[in-house]
Amino acid sequence: MTFKPVKKAIFPVAGLGTRFLPATKALPKEMLPIVDKPLIQYAVEEARDAGIEQFIFVTGRGKGAMEDHFDHAVELEQVLTERDKLDDLQTVQTCSPPPGQLAYVRQQKPLGLGHAVWCGRNFIGDEPFAVLSADDLILAEPGCLKQMIEVYNQVGGNVVAVEDVPREHTNRYGILDIESDDGKIAKAKALIEKPDPKDAPSTLSIIGRYILQPAVLRELDKHETGVGGEIQLTDAMASLIGSTDFHGTRFEGKRFDCGSRLGFIEANIAFALSRDDMAEGVSSILKEYG
Ligand code: G1P
């Protein structure tokens, strides 16, 4: 069986990033760098490498730096050309997807992840789509979304990336109630958003990568609120179980929660160590602090 290809992706980037104040007072949290590249660029590159051709940013007030980042920087490019800094020029020019592939829509009120995704609905139409959270940064080869698309091509329906978390952390994630599990792909019979550890049906948690059918958007049309009074994406996906298969897939690679300060610092270290031009220098710095 062949399933409709996934060519569109939504990036919910309206969050305030209060855990990184004051850095995020005037700077979108998605622009914080891991080594020398903003978080959002990692997510866009992961999507592009997975075959995504339309990038839909659900943004908010004060997020303009992201639009500039994915645009031509005319003066900078001119100076780099004049100075013959061709490597830097290429770095700057290859940031952005081709013209017309990026769209921005504002989430005017912070009503939850489900609401953010719903704000992108008119760009999605009747096609499957991906959702990528830039906070969840994944060091993987091939990228996490590409791995997920391979699984989606086998099972169709809704597919999310999952990983096991310590039981005391279940109240931070959407959690799968598992029907069957082959060790890589788990089929869910229900989903619960941020359950108390004592109530969690498993410790298999959703991380910020989704492949979704457009039916999810019809569920989100209802604007039903859940945990925290927010419109939850997890609830909309859960309502479809029964009519649309739901699978969680484990992935090869390491995820960093860059919405937390420690996760962000760890990601910087791990990404630097994974680079030929930085590994040696960073290891020797780490030894000093060991
Ligand atoms: C959101 C989702 C949650 C998911 C998590 C992954 O929560 O609601 O189900 O597990 O993203 O990062 P948030 O982190 O926005 O609170």
Side-chain angles (χ1 to χ4, degrees):
M1 190 159 174
T2 54
F3 301 101
K4 264 194 186 176
V6 184
K7 295 289 172 197
K8 298 180 177 180
I10 291 181
F11 300 81
V13 291
L16 291 178
T18 50
R19 272 179 277 182
F20 287 93
L21 285 170
T24 48
K25 186 179 171 198
L27 181 77
K29 66 171 173 167
E30 298 80 7
M31 288 300 293
L32 295 173
I34 299 297
V35 187
D36 50 12
K37 204 191 277 186
L39 274 169
I40 187 63
Q41 196 180 330
Y42 287 97
V44 165
E45 288 177 359
E46 181 185 327
R48 192 188 56 200
D49 293 346
I52 297 299
E53 292 172 358
Q54 288 193 45
F55 303 79
I56 299 136
F57 280 44
V58 179
T59 152
R61 280 179 289 281
K63 297 282 184 167
M66 257 183 293
E67 295 189 35
D68 290 340
H69 182 75
F70 290 110
D71 195 0
H72 277 292
V74 180
E75 284 171 17
L76 176 61
E77 288 176 31
Q78 196 180 330
V79 172
L80 293 174
T81 309
E82 282 162 13
R83 294 185 185 166
D84 210 24
K85 299 223 170 215
L86 299 183
D87 288 348
D88 290 339
L89 183 65
Q90 205 202 353
T91 302
V92 166
Q93 287 178 330
T94 50
C95 278
S96 348
Q101 290 197 357
L102 250 168
Y104 298 91
V105 59
R106 277 200 182 191
Q107 183 190 23
Q108 285 134 329
K109 287 184 185 170
L111 300 178
L113 178 61
H115 179 258
V117 169
W118 178 81
C119 286
R121 70 197 177 285
N122 289 342
F123 292 98
I124 299 299
D126 196 29
E127 286 181 43
F129 61 101
V131 177
L132 294 95
S133 158
D135 280 357
D136 277 325
L137 178 63
I138 299 162
L139 185 55
E141 184 53 47
C144 182
L145 188 65
K146 192 167 186 178
Q147 296 181 40
M148 290 169 68
I149 284 183
E150 277 172 26
V151 172
Y152 167 76
N153 288 337
Q154 296 162 35
V155 298
N158 293 327
V159 175
V160 298
V162 291
E163 68 180 18
D164 270 304
V165 296
R167 182 159 278 274
E168 62 270 26
H169 292 171
T170 58
N171 57 4
R172 301 180 187 174
Y173 299 97
I175 300 289
L176 273 65
D177 190 353
I178 298 166
E179 181 179 314
S180 60
D181 188 353
D182 69 5
K184 181 183 181 197
I185 303 174
K187 185 170 185 185
K189 57 178 183 231
L191 303 171
I192 306 183
E193 178 68 4
K194 302 195 172 95
D196 270 356
K198 61 176 173 17
D199 303 325
S202 78
T203 54
L204 203 54
S205 74
I206 300 172
I207 60 132
R209 296 288 182 282
Y210 307 75
I211 294 173
L212 300 174
Q213 298 304 313
V216 173
L217 299 169
R218 302 293 73 79
E219 276 304 312
L220 291 168
D221 283 339
K222 298 176 188 164
H223 275 52
E224 283 169 6
T225 53
V227 173
E230 295 190 340
I231 299 171
Q232 298 290 355
L233 183 58
T234 301
D235 295 344
M237 296 184 304
S239 305
L240 291 171
I241 295 177
S243 56
T244 308
D245 277 350
F246 188 99
H247 291 93
T249 179
R250 297 175 181 85
F251 53 93
E252 301 285 328
K254 178 147 172 66
R255 174 191 70 119
F256 301 91
D257 174 10
C258 292
S260 83
R261 287 177 290 233
L262 276 181
F264 177 77
I265 288 167
E266 190 188 355
N268 263 293
I269 295 169
F271 274 72
L273 287 173
S274 76
R275 277 173 51 161
D276 291 344
D277 61 333
M278 305 227 34
E280 214 181 301
V282 174
S283 308
S284 68
I285 290 171
L286 287 174
K287 274 184 207 130
E288 259 181 62
Y289 287 85

